[in-house]
Amino acid sequence: MNSRTITARVVFNRTSSKVGFLTVNTLEPFGRTQIVYKKNEIDNFEEISKLSSGAAVRVTGETVQTPGREQESEIRSQTITIVQDVTINYPLQKKEHSFEFLRENAHLRPRSDYFSKVFLVRSKLKHWISTFFEEENFVFLDSPVITGNDCEGAGESFSVYSETKKNFFNKPNVNLTVSGQLACETFAQTYGKAYTFSPIFRAEISNTVKHAAEFWMLEPEIVNTSLEEICNFTFRFIATMFAKLIKLLPKEVDFFTNKNKVNIKERFESFKKGTIKIIDYKDALKILKENISNAEATSLQFGSDLSSEQEKFLTKYFQNPIFVINYPKNIKSFYMKDNNDGSVQAFDFLVPDIGELAGGSVREDNPETLSQNILEKGISKDNLQWYIDLRNEGYVKSAGFGLGFERMLMYFLGISNIRDVLPFPRAHKMLKF
Amino acid sequence: MNSRTITARVVFNRTSSKVGFLTVNTLEPFGRTQIVYKKNEIDNFEEISKLSSGAAVRVTGETVQTPGREQESEIRSQTITIVQDVTINYPLQKKEHSFEFLRENAHLRPRSDYFSKVFLVRSKLKHWISTFFEEENFVFLDSPVITGNDCEGAGESFSVYSETKKNFFNKPNVNLTVSGQLACETFAQTYGKAYTFSPIFRAEISNTVKHAAEFWMLEPEIVNTSLEEICNFTFRFIATMFAKLIKLLPKEVDFFTNKNKVNIKERFESFKKGTIKIIDYKDALKILKENISNAEATSLQFGSDLSSEQEKFLTKYFQNPIFVINYPKNIKSFYMKDNNDGSVQAFDFLVPDIGELAGGSVREDNPETLSQNILEKGISKDNLQWYIDLRNEGYVKSAGFGLGFERMLMYFLGISNIRDVLPFPRAHKMLKF
């Protein structure tokens, strides 16, 4: 006998007068199976046949292989115990719900077929990232979430305070971090390779599909690395993760290929075969000017930031992800290495549909230039003196990048809204749960 | 020829008129080695012999095995290039510094021998945790950091706001999370086993060696699990991590055994051999009353919280870590399963030196009891209705625990101050960097 007992949640319940079929998601481990129950074999046939989608059951039965069917096996039940049915108010009773509706019910959303797979992939990717960096001899650090810095300038940061313990940290500015990079650089100075992977916060009222107030950013830092080498490393990291997804989660890849109408395998093949394409910002400008005729494009000049549409055009033009490098200094961060021609050793990694997936740079190693940049960007130097000092004390040059974890998930799975890859998304006027 | 080029940071520089020895930490990968340089073999002998501790160098040379010596190999240098020396103000020039001093220089602290090893162990443990839960079929979620809940009651939470975008989230209370458990429970309802591992925040002005304003908490949740089973799982998890440390990082274990005057291997053996000791809170009270004669002990009664000293006494009494279970309801959280005798199905896991290392419970499954608890604890129900609703909608009972990651590190390595296992510690009046 191949009898076992499982806990499961009902997805569909189809029944006739003598036999019923429960399509369920099992817990421990998570998976899909079908349970067959017969009037003449179980005591509570009537009760079970009334069970709703969402109900929890405990089933003892025999597993039977059913090759070629949607489920590879089914369970012929001996007993079915109702753990708990759902109420008439259960929000997920219908087979398909809009993503908007499911976001409003984020506490139940992982139970839906689509989101159970999204969050499963998210969990696997997280582990693969840990494994990748461990195998590459990186040292991980938990960069702090509460910080005295405001690296992106005023207004983009959330502030932190204690209602009852005024001036808890004895600092004028207490913010939620916008990047773990500066902390990570201190570790790279010891270990050569370090990385952080931390929640990141932006108080932006941009209700776009790509922005959230809280998201997760992966930030590796490597000493003795040129701009080209850090581009190559970025590409190799993303390609390795993408390859793992294709290889280890083929069913989920097929599922999202169908649901999201994006051929994920094709996207991967195209990504992989594309020799790493690196183009200079100036050449990107030239291509845009030659190929786009609208007013925006004609006003483009060195120093202009690229719009999302222009970024998308470039990925279409090259039919592949591209690295754009040597951006104008005026539109980039204070810590990027000056090329002394108005540009800095920075890159943006642009992919189709998403736009910027990662951005990185060689770090400015000259403490005077760094001080000057901080001054020019209007950032307070008080909290950054230690960062400048690093450049005076046995400094080894380094480079690194920041990659939006959610954007990578969106790119891999063909998901268009960042709120649909975050377990409990936070955004402007969005803080339920 | 076994010649190679490395980047390294000088730890010591000893020199005579004809030969010098640089003890260095290599970067990529991190490790200790010794570099021999001779006046008649390198061009810049004078310059190198003046290099300070902390300087960065690039060395090309031949690796020679030196079995039995402190370093397993040394490098006979052909060329040494100075990447950058340190200034006369470099804070870490002395061989040994106080931990207080090093905390004030957290940006350089990983370069010190002691802390380079602390953060290496922290990084390894983080990866082992990811591997453990992956192998046990858990699904990971990033529980949100910004929350509308204040589960611990007023005053313990930090508040969040945007200076420029008033009422960003359109909520009266916006806080930094004190636990990812509630979010994690929603995932356990789908996957059976889920876990979160997130930064956690407490606005406590307790300047003890065990408290920080920002720390990391591991919170697994498992369905169909009794109080005894969740105790066993907690023990098995910690024992597995401890065994990995002993097996995979023997040099670091020896180092901290010497430095911290705690026999780590003995601690592990004692931990491992101790059959899992579970005692009832009532029995713990009895033992305390019988064995402690001070005023505190005599006033102990059912409903009293145990002090750190009393917890330590219990671990000494049993000469081992212990689980204390069935705590009085009045001193525990609203979500713990009621035993209907004034106690709840909760445990604290107490270990020598540290006290509480983990705490867990079976979760209250009755929505009415849960509502009543929330009311009695004076917590606003508005943001917890979804959590109560979970109990009405195909709810599968679950249990879980929360483990302070820093406390586990402190226990494993014999470190007494939580600020010495956090890369950039945040505490009352402590927010440098």
Side-chain angles (χ1 to χ4, degrees), chain A residues 340-358:
Chain A
N340 296 316
D341 63 355
S343 74
V344 286
Q345 291 187 28
F347 77 81
D348 278 0
F349 183 52
L350 310 177
V351 299
D353 288 352
I354 303 293
E356 186 188 336
L357 181 58

Side-chain angles (χ1 to χ4, degrees), chain A residues 5 41-44 58-61 76-81:
Chain A
T5 300
E41 286 176 7
I42 63 165
D43 297 338
N44 51 352
R58 218 163 156 69
V59 181
T60 302
R76 310 251 161 101
S77 57
Q78 286 130 9
T79 63
I80 305 181
T81 314

Side-chain angles (χ1 to χ4, degrees), chain B residues 60-331:
Chain B
T60 302
E62 198 180 338
T63 303
V64 180
Q65 299 306 311
T66 53
R69 298 254 287 280
E70 201 189 335
Q71 282 84 23
E72 280 165 20
S73 64
E74 63 182 26
I75 296 174
R76 310 253 160 100
S77 57
Q78 287 132 8
T79 63
I80 305 182
T81 313
I82 300 173
V83 175
Q84 190 183 53
D85 203 351
V86 296
T87 71
I88 51 163
N89 299 319
Y90 187 60
L92 306 192
Q93 284 174 347
K94 280 198 309 175
K95 195 177 154 189
E96 296 275 353
H97 290 280
S98 74
F99 286 172
E100 289 76 14
F101 177 84
L102 288 168
R103 267 174 237 144
E104 287 297 308
N105 292 280
H107 60 311
L108 302 171
R109 191 168 64 154
R111 299 181 182 189
S112 76
D113 200 22
Y114 189 90
F115 286 96
S116 69
K117 291 183 171 67
V118 170
F119 297 127
L120 187 75
V121 173
R122 185 179 169 112
S123 173
K124 293 282 180 191
L125 255 180
K126 199 98 180 186
H127 179 63
W128 298 339
I129 289 171
S130 185
T131 303
F132 177 90
F133 285 100
E134 176 69 15
E135 287 173 354
E136 298 262 337
N137 277 314
F138 280 71
V139 171
F140 175 83
L141 76 151
D142 285 300
S143 52
V145 167
I146 297 176
T147 174
N149 303 327
D150 180 11
C151 293
E152 303 283 316
E156 295 275 304
S157 295
F158 287 106
S159 301
V160 175
Y161 71 104
S162 164
E163 190 92 45
T164 52
K165 292 128 191 168
K166 299 295 173 202
N167 204 7
F168 184 93
F169 288 109
N170 204 22
K171 281 262 182 180
N173 295 309
V174 182
N175 302 308
L176 292 182
T177 188
V178 295
S179 165
Q181 175 201 318
L182 308 195
C184 190
E185 283 190 36
T186 70
F187 269 54
Q189 288 298 313
T190 291
Y191 302 107
K193 297 177 186 179
Y195 82 109
T196 177
F197 192 2
S198 155
I200 294 293
F201 306 85
R202 296 271 159 84
E204 286 181 297
I205 308 188
S206 41
N207 285 313
T208 79
V209 296
K210 286 194 298 179
H211 291 87
E214 174 177 324
F215 56 99
W216 274 258
M217 193 139 82
L218 174 72
E219 296 175 277
E221 189 78 19
I222 310 173
V223 297
N224 296 325
T225 303
S226 69
L227 185 58
E228 195 185 335
E229 284 164 346
I230 196 71
C231 289
N232 288 340
F233 179 76
T234 305
F235 187 89
R236 181 163 67 84
F237 164 71
I238 299 169
T240 305
M241 293 301 105
F242 210 163
K244 281 215 173 189
L245 174 71
I246 300 291
K247 188 180 168 193
L248 299 178
L249 297 176
K251 281 183 185 172
E252 284 74 10
V253 168
D254 287 348
F255 175 86
F256 288 111
T257 295
N258 289 328
K259 285 281 177 185
N260 298 338
K261 307 202 179 356
V262 170
N263 192 323
I264 297 173
K265 274 184 208 160
E266 219 168 66
R267 176 171 280 189
F268 170 65
E269 290 302 328
S270 161
F271 185 96
K272 202 180 55 171
K273 80 159 192 274
T275 47
I276 300 173
K277 188 80 199 162
I278 300 179
I279 67 159
D280 200 279
Y281 166 87
K282 283 182 197 156
D283 297 325
L285 276 195
K286 218 176 282 177
I287 291 165
L288 287 170
K289 278 180 163 298
E290 282 167 9
N291 290 278
I292 306 185
S293 57
N294 65 30
E296 258 185 60
T298 49
S299 74
L300 271 178
Q301 56 182 13
F302 188 87
S304 303
D305 212 347
L306 303 183
S307 70
S308 296
E309 283 63 39
Q310 289 159 356
E311 290 178 348
K312 278 185 190 165
F313 176 84
L314 289 170
T315 59
K316 271 192 193 137
Y317 182 87
F318 288 101
Q319 297 195 303
N320 235 323
I322 51 163
F323 290 89
V324 179
I325 61 167
N326 294 324
Y327 276 86
K329 184 170 175 170
N330 63 300
I331 57 169

Side-chain angles (χ1 to χ4, degrees), chain A residues 186 386-393 395, chain B residues 84 107-108 111:
Chain A
T186 71
W386 65 269
Y387 182 72
I388 300 168
D389 288 347
L390 275 187
R391 273 71 183 161
N392 288 314
E393 305 296 1
Y395 183 69
Chain B
Q84 190 183 53
H107 60 311
L108 302 171
R111 299 181 182 189

